[in-house]
């Protein structure tokens, strides 16, 4: 049997898909207004009908996460993110900015989504929602381990688009994903945006947003509602077995409330480990080089304890190990998608402030930080002085940074502090848009106004002109 060069086949497929995406981009420009919202309604119906089954298939196929939690994320995408997308301004429209200027909203172009190995299903759903709303063709590359369930969701959404008359190439699935093929996708001349949701080192041709997973610290200050803080932290750190992109990595506690917070954590299902137990669990989670072991990611706390030979109650939700200081060489400082956190006790908020910075810098990524406090001055210090992309006040890192339990925009692809060419801390609608500045002349500028059109808003006049021009081009 002849040898098959899968790398070359993958590169060839990537080139074909990007060319099809470029052709689809031209046809998407002239689809009827409102077509994208009709597609979003179809996406919502798909998720309502099949979301639970897709989540079960995804978790069974990848052996990552919790099916019930991933189904909850899909329901959140259908309810909140689709709702946010439908309420957003359509492309080919003008928008007044808060500073009074005007911009035209245009599609960014062909987008590439390099899906992560964790929470692949809801991440794909969110990317497809924003791409379709913005009329941007989307090419998706999924890790082989995560195809189950994820491909079903893709096919379901693609069927909705086909039924509504969207052109071929609006969404495309890479059938032969290889690093060489993905590099070809990301560096293609047609690419307008690369969403690197797994942080892979690929060359990029267009704008890019790179996801990061930092050692996200939580500080509980003495004026905080300790019981509420414990409830939120445990619910967030254990959600989907620690797979959320902003999941908590460390807890820093004011000594004045250490005992109360420790007791509250235990009541919420935390298991504090002694030194020997911590070493056993760390050996399960991390390799000799300190990198997380792939087979230990996104597993329940009870399963991690079983593998480490640590006795654990069936209701355990989170494993906790206490440390006196931060070491950049210590495995516990590394970000790990698992229900496992480190615990530090500090004398006051100033010492805790320094500890949080050490934790952030020890890993090298500023993902997010959470502070629970009733003191406005303390909250302000943490908001202004921490090198992170997101700060949550009285909201947990994992659920809050994605916008599930906070006022932040909904997103499951989170960037870090000053990471990459995109200054945006999370993938959202704006990443799929190209903004064109529009200068409108004053009412007395005869060069920008037509005779007989007096007393009207230049913004409305421009909109009328664009509609007329678009109709003439369609004809």
């Amino acid at each position: 049997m002849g040898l098959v060069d899968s790398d070359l086949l993958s590169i060839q497929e990537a080139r074909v898909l990007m060319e099809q995406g470029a052709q689809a981009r031209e046809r998407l420009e002239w689809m009827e207004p409102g077509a994208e919202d009709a597609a979003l309604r179809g996406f919502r119906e798909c998720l309502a009908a099949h979301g639970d089954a897709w989540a079960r298939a995804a978790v069974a196929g990848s052996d990552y996460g919790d099916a019930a939690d991933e189904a909850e994320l899909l329901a959140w995408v259908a309810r909140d993110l689709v709702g946010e997308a439908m309420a957003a301004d359509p492309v080919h429209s003008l928008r007044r900015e808060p500073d009074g200027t005007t911009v035209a909203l245009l599609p960014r172009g062909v987008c590439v989504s390099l899906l992560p190995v964790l929470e692949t299903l809801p991440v794909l759903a969110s990317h497809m929602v924003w791409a379709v709303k913005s009329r941007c063709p989307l090419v998706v590359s999924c890790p082989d381990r995560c195809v189950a369930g994820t491909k079903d969701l893709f096919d379901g959404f693609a069927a909705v688009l086909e039924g509504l008359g969207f052109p071929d190439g609006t969404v495309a699935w890479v059938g032969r994903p290889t690093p060489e093929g993905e590099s070809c996708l990301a560096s293609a001349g047609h690419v307008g945006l690369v969403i690197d949701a797994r942080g892979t080192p690929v060359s990029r041709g267009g704008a890019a947003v790179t996801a990061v997973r930092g050692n996200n610290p939580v500080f509980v200050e003495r004026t905080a509602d300790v019981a509420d803080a414990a409830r939120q932290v445990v619910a967030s750190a254990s959600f989907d077995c620690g797979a959320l992109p902003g999941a908590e990595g460390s807890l820093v506690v004011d000594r004045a409330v250490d005992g109360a917070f420790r007791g509250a954590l235990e009541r919420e299902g935390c298991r504090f480990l002694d030194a020997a137990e911590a070493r056993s669990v760390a050996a399960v989670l991390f390799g000799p080089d300190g990198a997380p072991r792939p087979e230990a990611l996104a597993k329940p706390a009870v399963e991690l304890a079983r593998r480490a030979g640590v006795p654990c109650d069936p209701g355990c939700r989170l494993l906790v190990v206490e440390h006196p200081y931060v070491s950049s060489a210590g495995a516990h400082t590394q970000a790990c998608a698992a229900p496992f956190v480190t615990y530090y006790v500090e004398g006051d908020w100033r010492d805790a402030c320094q500890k949080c910075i050490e934790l952030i810098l020890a890993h090298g990524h500023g993902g997010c930080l959470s502070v629970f406090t009733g003191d406005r001055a303390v909250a302000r210090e943490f908001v202004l002085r921490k090198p992170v992309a997101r700060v949550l006040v009285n909201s947990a890192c994992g659920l809050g940074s994605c916008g599930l339990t906070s006022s932040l925009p909904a997103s499951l692809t989170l960037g870090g502090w000053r990471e990459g060419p995109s200054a945006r801390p999370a993938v959202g609608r704006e990443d799929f848009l190209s903004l064109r500045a529009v200068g409108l002349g004053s009412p007395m500028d005869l060069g920008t106004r037509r005779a007989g059109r007096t007393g009207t808003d230049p913004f409305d006049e421009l909109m009328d002109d664009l509609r007329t021009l678009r109709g003439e081009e369609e004809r």
Side-chain angles (χ1 to χ4, degrees):
M1 182 178 70
L3 296 176
V4 177
D5 192 327
S6 59
D7 295 343
L8 289 179
L9 290 175
S10 179
I11 292 172
Q12 181 183 34
E13 181 187 26
R15 290 172 176 167
V16 170
L17 294 180
M18 292 303 292
E19 185 61 36
Q20 291 175 347
Q23 295 172 3
R25 176 188 180 184
E26 298 298 325
R27 295 192 289 271
L28 284 170
E29 290 278 349
W30 303 108
M31 289 197 68
E32 287 295 320
E36 56 269 40
D37 286 347
L40 295 180
R41 287 191 289 270
F43 290 178
R44 178 178 279 171
E45 293 171 1
C46 272
L47 292 174
H50 307 292
D52 290 353
W54 290 340
R56 289 193 298 270
V59 170
S62 66
D63 195 30
Y64 288 143
D66 178 84
D69 287 344
E70 295 224 358
E72 185 176 340
L73 283 179
L74 288 179
W76 168 73
V77 169
R79 181 185 65 250
D80 292 0
L81 197 141
V82 170
E84 183 179 327
M86 293 180 68
D89 294 327
V91 292
H92 304 136
S93 65
L94 302 182
R95 184 177 73 192
R96 292 187 189 278
E97 298 295 89
D99 61 1
T101 59
T102 301
V103 294
L105 308 184
L106 304 174
R108 183 176 285 277
V110 184
C111 300
V112 172
S113 173
L114 306 180
L115 294 175
V117 295
L118 299 176
E119 297 183 339
T120 316
L121 198 64
V123 169
L124 170 62
S126 67
H127 292 177
M128 293 184 75
V129 164
W130 287 125
V132 169
K133 176 64 179 183
S134 306
R135 300 197 179 195
C136 292
L138 182 70
V139 181
V140 175
S141 182
C142 178
D144 287 333
R145 178 170 184 161
C146 307
V147 169
T150 306
K151 184 62 164 60
D152 295 334
L153 183 148
F154 176 89
D155 290 341
F157 281 17
V160 170
L161 297 174
E162 182 180 3
L164 293 171
F166 278 71
D168 293 340
T170 299
V171 292
W173 180 274
V174 177
R176 295 176 179 270
T178 65
E180 292 77 10
E182 290 178 344
S183 293
C184 182
L185 287 174
S187 60
H190 297 304
V191 70
L193 172 68
V194 178
I195 309 170
D196 184 2
R198 67 179 82 131
T200 49
V202 296
S203 59
R204 305 174 178 93
V209 179
T210 302
V212 302
R213 180 180 288 274
N215 185 352
N216 306 312
V218 176
F219 172 50
V220 180
E221 195 257 348
R222 63 186 63 192
T223 62
D225 183 335
V226 171
D228 179 66
R231 177 186 60 79
Q232 289 199 52
V233 165
V234 176
S236 178
S238 63
F239 188 89
D240 204 15
C241 303
L244 283 171
E248 292 75 3
S250 302
L251 308 180
V252 182
V253 185
D254 193 320
R255 191 178 306 278
V257 293
D258 172 36
F261 187 62
R262 193 184 297 258
L265 288 176
E266 291 175 338
R267 288 190 293 274
E268 292 292 335
C270 287
R271 167 72 154 83
F272 280 80
L273 307 174
D274 61 30
E277 292 170 337
R279 286 193 294 270
S280 298
V281 173
V284 170
L285 283 171
F286 304 99
D289 60 350
R293 298 182 188 274
E295 295 308 316
L297 299 178
K299 299 295 186 296
V302 173
E303 173 62 16
L304 293 177
R306 184 193 67 78
R307 295 184 185 185
V310 173
C312 185
D313 293 336
C316 177
R317 302 166 65 190
L318 189 65
L319 301 176
V320 185
V321 54
E322 185 170 359
H323 279 293
Y325 58 88
V326 177
S327 170
S328 60
H332 300 145
T333 66
Q334 300 302 307
C336 181
F340 174 80
V341 298
T342 52
Y343 190 94
Y344 303 88
V345 179
E346 297 297 328
D348 56 26
W349 70 265
R350 292 177 178 83
D351 293 338
C353 184
Q354 182 61 35
K355 181 71 70 177
C356 289
I357 292 176
E358 290 177 19
L359 288 165
I360 294 164
L361 297 181
H363 186 264
H365 297 304
C368 63
L369 174 146
S370 174
V371 53
F372 287 87
T373 180
D375 190 323
R376 289 176 178 268
V378 171
R380 178 181 174 83
E381 287 296 313
F382 275 76
V383 167
L384 296 179
R385 302 188 185 280
K386 298 299 174 288
V388 292
R390 291 162 298 280
V391 176
L392 286 302
V393 179
N394 294 327
S395 179
C397 280
L399 294 172
S401 61
C402 296
L404 278 81
T405 60
S406 74
S407 58
L408 288 177
S411 179
L412 289 170
T413 306
L414 306 180
W417 177 247
R418 295 175 180 168
E419 285 287 336
S422 173
R424 299 182 59 77
V427 171
R429 171 69 189 295
E430 296 293 307
D431 295 289
F432 291 85
L433 296 175
S434 288
L435 303 182
R436 178 175 296 163
V438 179
L440 302 177
S442 65
M444 295 304 294
D445 186 352
L446 299 179
T448 63
R449 300 176 62 81
R450 291 183 180 178
R453 300 179 71 177
T454 58
T456 57
D457 188 339
F459 183 89
D460 294 331
E461 289 183 13
L462 182 55
M463 285 295 294
D464 291 340
D465 291 342
L466 291 178
R467 292 191 189 99
T468 302
L469 177 61
R470 181 171 175 181
E472 291 172 355
E473 292 187 12
E474 286 178 329
R475 289 194 294 271

